[in-house]
Amino acid sequence: QCQLSGLWRNEQDSLMEISAVRDNGDFQGKYLTQVTLAGGCARASPLKGIQQQPSDGGWPTFAFTVRWDKFSNATTAFAGQCFVDSGGKETLTTMWLLREAVGSLQEDWKATR
């Protein structure tokens, strides 16, 4: 079984720490990105999410959001799934959408990556 709680590192050396996952699937934690929009120094930012445990014993899916704290006017939503290989190594695969604040409705087209 795949456990989301713990410390995770991605290919960009960003770190994510997830606290214990509650019985209802809720979890929270911190995300320290090494990639910033402004190019400045990032700080640990809060994340909140939910895990959906499959009923047939398969690999769980999950989603979480990160509010980039104090260095960016953006929010990112992640969705993914957790896998365990035959050697017991856990891997998270995710897709993300980042939303930046823009100054007008006319600029809305460029606000999501």
Side-chain angles (χ1 to χ4, degrees):
Q1 181 174 344
C2 200
Q3 300 293 323
L4 285 182
S5 58
L7 186 63
W8 297 89
R9 179 183 308 272
N10 71 10
E11 298 88 3
Q12 304 296 323
D13 280 335
S14 297
L15 296 173
M16 176 175 70
E17 185 175 16
I18 296 176
S19 62
V21 178
R22 295 184 181 143
D23 290 341
N24 66 357
D26 288 353
F27 62 87
Q28 58 187 3
K30 295 180 277 186
Y31 199 105
L32 177 60
T33 184
Q34 295 299 326
V35 181
T36 63
L37 294 173
C41 181
R43 298 182 185 193
S45 297
L47 69 83
K48 291 184 181 182
I50 186 101
Q51 174 182 294
Q52 177 68 38
Q53 187 65 39
S55 58
D56 62 0
W59 307 120
T61 59
F62 59 89
F64 63 90
T65 57
V66 178
R67 185 190 78 228
W68 303 111
D69 205 20
K70 298 183 175 52
F71 68 90
S72 175
N73 193 10
T75 303
T76 303
F78 294 80
Q81 189 168 3
C82 189
F83 297 95
V84 181
D85 68 16
S86 59
K89 180 181 176 187
E90 296 174 320
T91 300
L92 303 181
T93 60
T94 61
M95 296 290 288
W96 54 268
L97 288 172
L98 181 138
R99 175 64 188 219
E100 292 180 82
V102 292
S104 69
L105 183 58
Q106 290 75 24
E107 295 176 291
D108 185 63
W109 65 272
K110 66 179 182 178
T112 303
R113 297 176 190 213

